[in-house]
Amino acid sequence: MIAYLFPGQGAQTPGFLHRLGGATPHPSIGRTLDEASAVLGEDVRALDSAAALASTVAVQVTLVVAGVAAARALAQEGIEPEAVAGLSVGAYGAAVVGGALAFADALKLVRLRAQLMQDACPHGYGMLAVLGLNEREIARAIADAKADSGVDAYIGNLNAPRQIVVSGSDAALAKVRDIALSRGARKAERLAVSVPSHCVLLDGAATRLADAARDVRIDDPRIPYVGNRGARVLRRADAIREDLATNLRYPVRWHDSTIALSELGANVFVEMPPGQTLAQLAADALPDAAAIAMDASPAASVAARVRAARLRQR
């Protein structure tokens, strides 16, 4: 079974939209970028510069565009997913490709989502990735940081048993970083994210997004969709609506989502662009599975790799 993985904020790098599909991009990619530009009323190709990507809105919109464009290009090459999952804003690309949400509606919701997040915490916040400590150890470091300095931080993403992302203010993240490193963390570094995603600091933004999402058509997906909040397979439109609207407020249990896909039967994981973090996490969690990152590779070459991987997995 082929599962598509859609990355979240932090995977972006300057120029990534322009690198989609390599030196000669698949026609589907250009058409998707044109479609997104028409929906949003601006050229999305201008949103992947270093200056533009300082905006949470530009980052989240372009990530969704990239994921859908890549999936469409693979579809033209005869490759279709049999399950989907997306990390944070990547869930919107997953919902589009899974047949639950129209691309235009996804773009509009994501633009609102990003703006609400940016407005809620405009300055002095972010996310910290910690490698080498487990969830209990990170929770203890967060509690000790608050007891010592009065700063609040929160577990945002559980990407792997010992790869956990913490959300909070700059001061809180600096304190947690110091404590984590002193207790044996291999690495603790800030992500390219300027908002404290997946924690109570975005409660108000989640409420407003949920209000807006009620007016958007969402259908039952045509293939299994694994949600962020509970890492469960969601097959009903109302469940997907809630997941999309509220995932900015709750921790993402990504490792559990990967395992849920495996339990469905997924054994070929294909990460939509940009980046290759999710493919690497899948490879680490499931050594017998095939994990392929599309990133800037041509759709035809990725399709060939997927076919070969599928044959090996039979």
Side-chain angles (χ1 to χ4, degrees):
M1 174 187 283
I2 299 170
Y4 280 8
L5 310 177
F6 294 78
Q9 200 167 345
Q12 75 281 354
T13 55
F16 78 91
L17 278 185
H18 288 79
R19 294 192 294 272
L20 287 178
T24 308
H26 195 283
S28 293
I29 291 176
R31 288 195 295 268
T32 302
L33 268 60
D34 289 342
E35 180 183 349
S37 297
V39 169
L40 297 172
E42 61 180 324
D43 185 0
V44 297
R45 294 171 179 83
L47 299 180
D48 74 346
S49 68
L53 291 175
S55 162
T56 297
V57 177
V59 171
Q60 295 195 15
V61 166
T62 51
L63 287 173
V64 174
V65 171
V68 172
R72 287 177 172 179
L74 286 176
Q76 290 296 306
E77 296 294 327
I79 302 298
E80 296 274 5
E82 296 160 277
V84 291
L87 193 156
S88 189
V89 72
Y92 287 80
V96 172
V97 174
L101 180 63
F103 184 41
D105 289 335
L107 291 172
K108 294 171 186 176
L109 272 179
V110 166
R111 181 167 58 182
L112 174 62
R113 177 188 193 267
Q115 191 63 60
L116 290 170
M117 293 171 73
Q118 190 168 273
D119 291 347
C121 300
H123 304 290
Y125 292 87
M127 303 181 80
L128 174 80
V130 182
L131 279 66
L133 300 182
N134 62 31
E135 182 177 0
R136 184 177 62 183
E137 290 166 331
I138 292 292
R140 187 178 301 122
I142 289 172
D144 290 346
K146 182 173 183 179
D148 181 62
S149 304
V151 292
D152 273 331
Y154 309 88
I155 290 178
N157 294 23
L158 295 107
N159 291 337
R162 290 184 175 271
Q163 183 176 328
I164 295 171
V165 179
V166 179
S167 296
S169 67
D170 290 345
L173 297 182
K175 187 65 179 178
V176 171
R177 178 183 183 276
D178 290 344
I179 293 173
L181 290 173
S182 73
R183 295 178 181 176
R186 296 197 311 275
K187 185 184 293 186
E189 59 183 24
R190 290 290 293 267
L191 300 179
V193 180
S194 58
V195 290
S197 300
H198 309 298
C199 72
V200 296
L201 295 173
L202 295 180
D203 197 34
T207 298
R208 293 180 62 186
L209 185 62
D211 289 342
R214 277 196 283 270
D215 297 326
V216 175
R217 175 174 174 170
I218 296 179
D219 298 317
D220 293 347
R222 58 181 177 79
I223 56 177
Y225 164 105
V226 175
N228 274 220
R229 181 175 169 184
R232 294 193 301 270
V233 178
L234 305 179
R235 301 180 186 272
R236 299 291 300 274
D238 54 353
I240 293 175
R241 184 190 308 278
E242 182 180 10
D243 186 64
L244 294 173
T246 63
N247 75 3
L248 73 166
R249 157 66 177 83
Y250 295 96
V252 175
R253 308 196 71 89
W254 183 255
H255 176 74
D256 294 343
S257 296
T258 305
I259 300 304
L261 287 167
S262 175
E263 290 173 347
L264 274 174
N267 54 12
V268 179
F269 294 85
V270 185
E271 180 175 1
M272 298 297 100
Q276 53 189 346
T277 298
L278 302 186
Q280 185 60 57
L281 289 171
D284 291 345
L286 303 163
D288 293 332
I292 299 165
M294 187 168 181
D295 204 15
S297 300
S301 67
V302 175
R305 292 173 63 195
V306 172
R307 290 190 190 97
R310 201 171 190 185
L311 285 173
R312 288 194 301 270
Q313 291 294 329
R314 287 178 177 170

